[in-house]
């Protein structure tokens, strides 16, 4: 039996108060959670670059109807049994102007060496929609395939005539109503031009003064005077005709490249190497898994590309052990090469072939050019 003393008052024990440090910590955590929640929905001014799909130029790719077809097809293919790979690499962009990544996603990418956080203006220029960017990249891919085909065939000894053609006309540009789509540009101020850079240099040299453009339309030669418009590009004054120029080639061999849903010019060099492999006896790869990237022009010059670090990781993840990088990208390569890959630099198609031959034949790899700090 429990006994109670009527004269004794029972007083509850006082509630223990949190220490000041504990209170500060709880409030800090609460605020941090609220901030993170709010930032999840706030738009950002950045997008994320990350490794994209990898394609073997000696293998197959999905066609528009989903069927697997040879990525490169040439008549009288000399080599259809390559035991190695020549991989072209892509970069995926997470986000666009309509849907930017959340700040939490950006924070996660910041600490991932295979991904990069870049200003949205670098990928999607102001005033350009996602659809316009995709259209531009598709055109660049088509041009790169033509340039790669011309470069490969010239390397193999074929004669490949070329012309400069008007691809697009700016509705508010200087040449509107003066030049037409598919006009072939032959000269500027009486000086013959053989490539797009020649045209641009001649227009810049005139410094805004009217230039006489020689062209052929439906087989008839003529000239027209155009006064370039002045503009500022990246803080530099430029003069524009208001036309989009493209190189056209009279290819002596019917080269067919099928690669859907990939844009941009950066696969040019690997296309050219794949074409040469298929049109040459033997195996360029020597059974090795080789990846690479770089633009190319019809003369075989290899140019820089974007997203080189993401492509290095994409190559590593695909199992490549060798990597061909444009010499002009070497400053971005040094210090960012994943384990398991050896990088060689290249500035021409001929130099790239030398690298492949040295790897295949077990030659002196230390004598090959590489990226150094």
């Amino acid at each position: 039996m429990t006994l109670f003393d009527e004269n004794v008052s029972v007083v509850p024990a006082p509630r223990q108060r949190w220490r000041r440090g504990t209170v500060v910590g709880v409030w800090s955590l609460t605020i941090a959670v609220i901030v993170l929640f709010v930032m999840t929905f706030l738009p950002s001014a950045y997008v994320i670059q990350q490794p994209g799909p990898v394609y073997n130029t000696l293998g197959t790719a999905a066609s528009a109807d989903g069927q697997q077809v040879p990525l490169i097809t040439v008549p009288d293919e000399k080599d259809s049994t390559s035991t190695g790979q020549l991989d072209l690499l892509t970069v995926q962009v997470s986000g666009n102007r309509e849907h930017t990544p959340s700040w939490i996603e950006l924070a996660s990418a910041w600490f991932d060496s295979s991904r990069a956080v870049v200003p949205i203006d670098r990928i999607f220029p102001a005033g350009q929609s996602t659809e316009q960017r995709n259209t531009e990249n598709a055109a660049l891919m088509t041009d790169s395939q033509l340039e790669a085909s011309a470069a490969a065939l010239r390397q193999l000894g074929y004669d490949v005539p070329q012309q400069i053609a008007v691809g697009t006309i700016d509705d508010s540009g200087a040449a509107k109503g003066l030049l037409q789509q598919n006009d072939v540009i032959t000269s500027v101020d009486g000086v013959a031009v053989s490539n797009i850079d020649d045209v641009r240099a001649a227009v810049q040299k005139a410094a805004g003064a009217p230039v006489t453009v020689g062209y052929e339309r439906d087989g008839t030669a003529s000239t027209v005077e155009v006064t370039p418009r002045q503009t500022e590009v990246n803080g530099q004054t430029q003069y524009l005709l208001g036309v989009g120029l493209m190189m056209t080639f009279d290819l002596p061999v019917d080269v067919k490249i099928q690669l859907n849903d990939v844009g941009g010019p950066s696969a040019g060099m690997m296309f050219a190497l794949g074409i040469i492999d298929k049109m040459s006896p033997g195996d360029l790869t020597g059974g090795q898994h080789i990846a690479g990237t770089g633009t190319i022009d019809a003369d075989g010059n290899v140019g820089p590309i974007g997203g080189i670090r993401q492509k290095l990781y994409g190559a590593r993840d695909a199992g490549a052990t060798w990597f061909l990088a444009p010499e002009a990208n070497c400053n971005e390569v040094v210090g960012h090469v994943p384990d398991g890959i050896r990088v060689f630099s290249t500035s021409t198609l001929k130099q790239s072939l030398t690298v492949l031959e040295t790897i295949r034949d077990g030659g002196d790899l230390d004598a090959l050019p590489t990226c150094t700090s």
Side-chain angles (χ1 to χ4, degrees), residues 49 64 102 113 148 155 177 219 233 261 277 293-294 300 320 322 324 331 347 354 356 363:
Q49 287 184 327
S102 70
S113 56
Q155 180 65 39
V233 179
D261 300 323
D277 181 272
T293 186
W322 312 97
L324 292 171
N331 63 321
S347 59
T354 298
L356 295 188

Side-chain angles (χ1 to χ4, degrees), residues 1-2 26 71 142 176 184 207 232 249 262 330 344 346:
M1 176 169 57
T2 304
V26 170
L71 197 151
T142 299
K176 175 67 173 177
V184 175
E232 295 290 325
F249 304 94
V262 177
C330 271
F344 299 103
T346 179

Side-chain angles (χ1 to χ4, degrees), residues 49-68:
Q49 287 184 327
Q50 57 197 22
V54 176
Y55 300 91
N56 177 17
T57 60
L58 305 180
T60 62
S63 64
D65 58 6
Q67 299 296 316
Q68 288 293 315

Side-chain angles (χ1 to χ4, degrees), residues 210-264:
V211 294
T212 300
V213 178
Y215 66 95
E216 291 182 3
R217 181 181 300 163
D218 298 327
T220 301
S222 187
T223 62
V224 65
E225 187 176 272
V226 182
T227 303
R229 303 276 175 83
Q230 180 177 331
T231 187
E232 295 290 325
V233 179
N234 296 327
Q236 295 183 338
T237 300
Q238 291 191 9
Y239 300 94
L240 305 177
L241 294 177
V243 297
L245 300 177
M246 61 182 183
M247 297 301 301
T248 62
F249 304 94
D250 184 9
L251 299 178
V253 175
D254 183 20
V255 177
K256 185 178 295 183
I257 300 176
Q258 300 186 77
L259 184 60
N260 294 306
D261 300 323
V262 177

Side-chain angles (χ1 to χ4, degrees), residues 18-310:
W18 285 356
R19 295 180 180 179
R20 179 178 179 85
T22 302
V23 173
V24 172
V26 170
W27 274 109
S28 298
L29 179 60
T30 302
I31 294 171
V33 170
I34 294 173
V35 169
L36 285 174
F37 180 78
V38 172
M39 288 180 68
T40 300
F41 300 97
L42 285 178
S44 65
Y46 301 91
V47 292
I48 300 169
Q49 287 184 327
Q50 57 197 22
V54 176
Y55 300 91
N56 177 17
T57 60
L58 305 180
T60 62
S63 64
D65 58 6
Q67 299 296 316
Q68 288 293 315
V69 297
L71 197 151
I72 297 174
T73 305
V74 297
D76 302 321
E77 186 172 317
K78 299 292 192 304
D79 178 20
S80 59
T81 58
S82 294
T83 55
Q85 291 186 212
L86 289 173
D87 287 349
L88 68 84
L89 307 154
T90 67
V91 173
Q92 286 183 330
V93 177
S94 175
N96 52 45
R97 287 198 175 276
E98 291 77 27
H99 302 284
T100 59
S102 70
W103 287 97
I104 294 178
E105 291 173 313
L106 293 175
S108 174
W110 187 267
F111 295 101
D112 184 343
S113 56
S114 71
R115 298 193 289 171
V117 176
V118 298
I120 195 169
D121 288 340
R122 188 187 302 175
I123 308 298
F124 299 94
Q128 184 185 54
S129 67
T130 301
E131 182 179 357
Q132 289 172 327
R133 177 180 179 272
N134 291 340
T135 299
E136 179 182 325
N137 279 337
L140 289 172
M141 169 58 76
T142 299
D143 288 345
S144 76
Q145 293 175 357
L146 290 173
E147 298 267 4
S149 299
L153 293 176
R154 286 177 176 174
Q155 180 65 39
L156 291 169
Y158 289 89
D159 179 34
V160 183
Q162 67 183 42
Q163 295 179 320
I164 310 165
V166 175
T168 58
I169 304 286
D170 187 341
D171 287 337
S172 59
K176 175 67 173 177
L178 302 176
L179 293 172
Q180 295 181 11
Q181 192 174 21
N182 297 322
D183 284 349
V184 175
I185 307 301
T186 57
S187 66
V188 178
D189 283 338
V191 179
V193 290
S194 59
N195 55 55
I196 296 173
D197 287 340
D198 288 347
V199 177
R200 290 173 177 163
V203 172
Q204 296 308 305
K205 182 179 179 181
V211 294
T212 300
V213 178
Y215 66 95
E216 291 182 3
R217 181 181 300 163
D218 298 327
T220 301
S222 187
T223 62
V224 65
E225 187 176 272
V226 182
T227 303
R229 303 276 175 83
Q230 180 177 331
T231 187
E232 295 290 325
V233 179
N234 296 327
Q236 295 183 338
T237 300
Q238 291 191 9
Y239 300 94
L240 305 177
L241 294 177
V243 297
L245 300 177
M246 61 182 183
M247 297 301 301
T248 62
F249 304 94
D250 184 9
L251 299 178
V253 175
D254 183 20
V255 177
K256 185 178 295 183
I257 300 176
Q258 300 186 77
L259 184 60
N260 294 306
D261 300 323
V262 177
S266 65
M269 180 185 68
M270 298 309 292
F271 284 145
L273 292 174
I275 294 168
I276 292 173
D277 181 272
K278 285 178 171 285
M279 294 187 66
S280 305
D283 183 356
L284 279 181
T285 69
Q288 297 292 310
H289 193 159
I290 303 165
T293 186
T295 64
I296 201 165
D297 64 22
D299 294 324
N301 298 305
V302 175
I305 51 81
I308 185 74
R309 297 179 187 175
Q310 286 68 56

